[in-house]
Amino acid sequence: MLDTALAIIRDEGADRLTLGHLAARAGISKPVAYDHFGTRSKLLIELYKSIDQAQAAALQAALTSGERSIEETIEVLASAYIHCYADTSGEWHAIGAALAGSEEKDAVYQELLDGYVQLFAAVLKPYVDLQQAELERRCIGLIGAGEALSAAMARGNCGEAEAADTFATLILGGLRTPFSCQSGGET
């Protein structure tokens, strides 16, 4: 049913995805669709999670093949993360827009982002001399940058390669040990 729902979004747009329309396209009765998902919002959440699981699996696969330098690891990490958005042909953003304002979506989205923060931290930890909490805070910022670059790419403001290169540069810069800032007007 999720594949059919995704096809509806691709072919007709997210606004056309209803449980009744899904049932008709999938060749099942409406009660089956309603029993399985309950509401349109829950269907959209399941689609959102399904796309994310596929993206996370692709990212994991890209990162588990061979030893790399930090630069090579960052390049793979950035390219795979950005490619996940390019690979969804806009469905991810369409589903997100259809769920806009939903408390369920906000909770699920935060859970997914937290998962990427943990993944980035685990992949980058061997290359940096940062405390875990500091590394995770930096990864939160990096994921935010990746999200913004992915959205810019989806809007047509840059290509996939440009977004990935910029993201890799930001990741590398974000892992460097910062200079110490002192308050009180000293420079």
Side-chain angles (χ1 to χ4, degrees):
M1 284 192 282
L2 290 177
D3 289 340
T4 302
L6 201 51
I8 291 169
I9 290 173
R10 278 189 196 127
D11 299 343
E12 304 172 46
D15 291 342
R16 289 281 297 142
L17 180 61
T18 64
L19 292 174
H21 189 51
L22 172 63
R25 285 266 311 252
I28 59 173
S29 67
K30 281 185 184 181
V32 170
Y34 279 91
D35 286 344
H36 191 76
F37 296 107
T39 65
R40 178 178 186 268
S41 184
K42 287 183 181 174
L43 166 60
L44 289 166
I45 292 289
E46 288 304 313
L47 271 174
Y48 210 62
K49 287 181 177 181
S50 174
I51 290 172
D52 181 72
Q53 288 169 351
Q55 291 175 337
L59 187 54
Q60 280 290 100
L63 292 169
T64 57
S65 57
E67 282 190 40
R68 297 179 181 88
S69 68
I70 186 171
E71 292 83 3
E72 292 167 328
T73 299
I74 288 170
E75 186 177 309
V76 169
L77 187 63
S79 294
Y81 189 86
I82 296 295
H83 182 71
C84 287
Y85 281 88
D87 197 36
T88 63
S89 304
E91 293 93 357
W92 175 260
H93 296 289
I95 294 166
L99 285 166
S102 161
E103 288 182 26
E104 292 172 299
K105 185 242 180 184
D106 290 343
V108 168
Y109 186 68
Q110 190 58 55
E111 177 185 320
L112 301 179
L113 289 178
D114 291 345
Y116 281 110
V117 167
Q118 294 304 312
L119 176 63
F120 271 51
V123 168
L124 297 171
K125 182 66 176 164
Y127 300 103
V128 297
D129 187 27
L130 296 170
Q131 295 294 320
Q132 188 67 25
E134 176 64 18
L135 177 58
E136 288 177 11
R137 283 190 299 275
R138 290 182 188 199
C139 287
I140 289 167
L142 293 171
I143 294 297
E147 290 293 302
L149 286 164
S150 297
M153 181 185 63
R155 288 189 308 272
N157 295 348
C158 63
E160 183 178 343
E162 293 168 309
D165 288 346
T166 300
F167 193 29
T169 300
L170 292 171
I171 294 170
L172 186 58
L175 295 177
R176 292 200 172 110
T177 305
F179 63 92
S180 178
C181 296
Q182 296 180 0
S183 59
E186 293 180 37
T187 56

